[in-house]
Amino acid sequence: MQKMGAEDGKVAPEHHHHHHHSDSEIVGSDRTAYSGPLSGPPSKRGGRKSARFNIPDSGAGVGVGVDADEQAYVEITLDVRDDSVAVHSVKTAGGADVEDPELTLLAKGLEKRSSFRAASVVRNASSRIKQVSQELKRLASFSKWTHQARFDRTKSAAAHALKGLKFISKTDGGAGWAAVAKRFDELSENGLLQRSHFGECIGMNKDSKEFAGELFDALTRRRNITGDCINKAQLREFWDQISDQSFDSRLQTFFDMVDKDADGRITEEEVREIISLSASANKLSNIQKQAEEYAALIMEELDPDDNGFIMIQHLEMLLLQAPSHSTRGESRNLSQMLSQKLKATTEHNPVRRWYRDTKYFLLDNWQRVWVMALWIGIMLGLFAWKYVQYRRRAAYDVMGPCVCMAKGAAETLKLNMALILLPVCRNTITWLRNKTKLGVAVPFDDNLNFHKVIAIGVSIGVGIHAIAHLTCDFPRLLHASPEKYKPMVQYFGPQPTSYWHFVKSFEGVSGIIIVVLMAIAFTLASPRFRRGRLNLPRPLNKLTGFNAFWYSHHLFVIVYALLIAHGEKLFLTHKWYKKTTWMYLAVPMTLYACERLIRAFRSSIKPVKILKVAVYPGNVLALHLSKPQGFKYKSGQYMFVNCAAVSPFEWHPFSITSAPGDDYLSVHIRTLGDWTRQLKTVFSEVCQPPANGKSGLLRADCMQGDNPNFPRVLIDGPYGAPAQDYKKYEVVLLVGLGIGATPMISIVKDIVNNMKTAASALESGTAGSGAGGFRTRRAYFYWVTREQGSFEWFRGIMNEVAELDREGVIEMHNYCTSVYEEGDARSALIAMLQSLNHAKNGVDVVSGTRVKSHFAKPNWRNVYKRVALNHSDTRVGVFYCGAPALTKELRQLALDFSHKTSTKFDFHKENF
């Protein structure tokens, strides 16, 4: 047995750091001593050796002057084998077994460590013992510290944080190795993987390439590997470490990434570098710019004694004090019960399954069902009426069923060409929505969808009518015998000898022009063309986008004129009262023409003054306008905007982001097409970079004394939208994706204004006089965006809401999807920084507002579940504005929870 005296147990203060143990590895702070696998050259005999180390008390300084009698000792007996060193026992100096869990874990770590092979071989057993002794001294000292100052991991917040710092998304590293090995074979050259390919090999995306490179450097430093490439065995060792589910192991790996000089201490400069790296990986440019400021904040918090560095235990403490998001007690039980209830159940009886599905479908869509049933019924009735009518006429003997098909389709076409105008009479629909109770039975929110359905009906009618005439009726007239044709002379004159006789007639020419113009308008109105999803070569690219859709739709002015003329020149009808095309179209066309005149008249007599303009990151232009006298609107509604400097004819709809109680109007316009791009350019030319403290990239503010020469803007509105019905619900769930948050912001502001009005009325004793139909008592707002800069759009509004909403009526959640999910090592430092800054300054580092941000995408099922748990036996209004991709999921979740819980969710989608 070998004994080491007090001198061997003493550690100088400047090297007393980086004391950490893990379930997978034991790492020393003094990197001059080898801290890799404990293997060496073969030894014919194994032996058992022991060493004694002192553990200094926390209150005493650790140095040369410490009396040996005051030292606490442990005695560690090691088994030295051919290629390994194993811990045999850990005892106190008096011979009693040590029950310290830290040292027990230490022993396990050494045993695990001893199973690895080393690239560089230690020459004799005594040197191996010396290496172990150096690490044990440091780790024993760290163990002493952890007993007194270590954060309590049994707390719920700590338990939640222990799941963090994941370097890979898969929890089973062994299962994931097969895919990693396959990628290694694809990416390696001569059996070696380059550092530049490490991230791709372990499954990280291209945005994390720099982060993966730093992880590679940390893993190679740990193993004293030089160079920028590793073999497959080393990659497997790396993979085992980063996929280790032990929090201590992950913490050590993360610490090594930050500790670039491997001295066991993290300096402020190293903190700044890792903040910048994490911000870059998560596309957080604002944090990257303020990395130095945030590094100072972390050092101030974790290094109060101003030592100039922090240790691994400080990092652990910061991580484990993250807020907990778990539910407890009764809420957890209710959540589990609800989850069980929401599990999909299989109904084996097909009749019962059909009945259940049909019942739910009718309950959820009865408004749409009766409107569609009525429309289809009328179409079938008109078609059958005309078919039977012509079945009894002499023309049937010559042209057969073809003439019946053509005339039946024409009758449905007349009605559909009349109906198709009604859904786009916005003023009329807004009046019906606001002033009547028809909204209970008529789905006004689906006006544009009904417009598209009718367009399909028009297409079918035109197709049947044209094909029946061109391919059947005209050829039969040409080839009919003189006897059969004789009754047709009064309609068509002498029997023609050429097919072109019919085509070149007014009826033929006008019909063909109508078909061609409709085909152009319908094609350019399809989603792929209208939203510019097709990449066509020049000059064909002008056929995509909103402008092409808008101008092509005005071809219908010609279509309607030709349609009326076409109906007056019918071959088989001569009496004026039987030429009914104009009768169908008269009222809708007059109503639509009045709508357009009202729009032009209203916009010209209600001038607006531009008060403020701001250009924000993410290509967003914010316009603050004076409110015209008598301009009354509801939150959630929209208005049309025209700028003659861009185009004197184009009007584009935008949600109003100001609240009805504000003394101004505001819209936020995202650059998505030609018109919006030119509008942003026009206004950017009159803006300047903002003064200190002002948001936005460019600003111009008349209220602050600026006198820019703004372009002239006209507005028309307001018009009704689904979101305006939020006041009907006591609880609302508002969801906005990107710029889709605009109507929701207005609603949030309106709720706050209504709360202030209600509070003032209560104080003055006139409660109930100013809340006019306002029922909302709780609102959940979820805003999901890809870019950190997007939060600047509504930063002032969100801060105002957070300050005024002292009752907690509005619960706001910001999600930044460019940041990796909570628990991912790439966003771990961002999460730490977020907690620190919010606790100290009350400001979120991601959004720059008082509202704390979440990372990645929301779990929408959990969002619905939480609302259902908090508001049982309640009808909740769900209002969504954003890309169509999420519509299906949110609508289906609303149906599932409505069917299987006592909370009923009414889903409303804004036309986006």
Side-chain angles (χ1 to χ4, degrees), residues 745-763:
I745 287 292
S746 178
I747 291 173
V748 167
K749 290 183 68 179
D750 193 35
I751 293 173
V752 172
N753 290 343
N754 276 280
M755 288 190 303
K756 286 162 46 178
T757 302
S760 300
L762 191 63
E763 290 177 3

Side-chain angles (χ1 to χ4, degrees), residues 514-760:
I514 288 172
V515 170
V516 171
L517 294 181
M518 281 187 174
I520 293 172
F522 288 167
T523 300
L524 298 183
S526 63
R528 296 188 70 185
F529 278 89
R530 182 166 57 88
R531 295 186 178 274
R533 294 173 184 167
L534 288 178
N535 294 320
L536 298 177
R538 292 185 178 182
L540 295 179
N541 62 333
K542 296 292 184 181
L543 297 176
T544 63
F546 186 86
N547 285 354
F549 156 76
W550 194 86
Y551 284 115
S552 65
H553 251 55
H554 284 74
L555 293 174
F556 276 96
V557 174
I558 303 172
V559 169
Y560 275 99
L562 288 175
L563 185 62
I564 293 172
H566 185 83
E568 290 298 311
K569 295 287 185 178
L570 295 178
F571 283 120
L572 297 174
T573 304
H574 291 161
K575 295 179 180 179
W576 71 270
Y577 59 85
K578 290 187 178 180
K579 299 176 180 180
T580 57
T581 303
W582 67 273
M583 299 179 188
Y584 280 101
L585 299 178
V587 173
M589 287 184 66
T590 302
L591 181 63
Y592 184 75
C594 290
E595 288 256 344
R596 297 299 296 261
L597 288 172
I598 290 171
R599 176 185 299 182
F601 182 70
R602 184 170 54 191
S603 61
S604 62
I605 66 170
K606 290 186 177 180
V608 292
K609 180 183 178 183
I610 299 176
L611 305 177
K612 184 168 64 176
V613 175
V615 178
Y616 291 109
N619 290 320
V620 168
L621 172 69
L623 300 179
H624 288 240
L625 315 169
S626 62
K627 184 192 285 189
Q629 187 176 3
F631 190 95
K632 296 180 180 179
Y633 65 98
K634 297 179 180 180
S635 287
Q637 291 186 332
Y638 66 95
M639 65 183 182
F640 281 83
V641 176
N642 168 273
C643 181
V646 178
S647 171
F649 306 109
E650 292 183 45
W651 293 79
H652 293 262
F654 300 101
S655 296
I656 304 172
T657 53
S658 53
D662 295 334
D663 57 359
Y664 62 90
L665 293 173
S666 67
V667 290
H668 286 68
I669 301 170
R670 180 141 199 198
T671 302
L672 294 173
D674 295 339
W675 188 87
T676 51
R677 191 177 299 112
Q678 292 174 34
L679 185 73
K680 180 194 166 192
T681 301
V682 166
F683 278 98
S684 297
E685 292 173 355
V686 296
C687 294
Q688 300 293 331
N692 292 336
K694 298 287 185 178
S695 61
L697 303 175
L698 298 169
R699 293 179 72 92
D701 193 342
C702 291
M703 308 300 289
Q704 299 296 324
D706 299 340
N707 292 302
N709 186 20
F710 288 125
R712 184 167 177 258
V713 168
L714 301 178
I715 64 170
D716 173 51
Y719 293 104
Q724 74 176 60
D725 296 328
Y726 84 93
K727 288 187 178 182
K728 298 178 182 178
Y729 300 93
E730 290 189 3
V731 180
V732 293
L733 173 59
L734 311 172
V735 180
L737 257 62
I739 198 64
T742 48
M744 311 309 167
I745 287 292
S746 178
I747 291 173
V748 167
K749 290 183 68 179
D750 193 35
I751 293 173
V752 172
N753 290 343
N754 276 280
M755 288 190 303
K756 286 162 46 178
T757 302
S760 300

Side-chain angles (χ1 to χ4, degrees), residues 882-903:
L886 189 58
T887 304
K888 184 178 179 181
E889 181 183 356
L890 293 179
R891 178 182 281 121
Q892 189 58 50
L893 285 171
L895 296 177
D896 289 346
F897 278 82
S898 296
H899 297 160
K900 298 180 180 180
T901 70
S902 63
T903 307

Side-chain angles (χ1 to χ4, degrees), residues 170-180 236 239:
K170 292 183 179 291
T171 55
D172 187 356
W177 169 248
V180 174
R236 179 58 195 258
W239 178 256

Side-chain angles (χ1 to χ4, degrees), residues 24 36 178 190 209 250 261 272 292 331 449 473 519 549 562 577 586 623 678 688 763 770 807 810 825 868 878 897 910:
S24 60
N190 300 321
K209 187 173 182 179
R250 284 175 276 154
D261 57 3
R272 187 196 64 76
E292 190 169 341
S331 296
N449 290 331
D473 290 339
F549 156 76
L562 288 175
Y577 59 85
L623 300 179
Q678 292 174 34
Q688 300 293 331
E763 290 177 3
E807 302 296 324
I810 303 171
V878 182
F897 278 82
E910 286 285 328

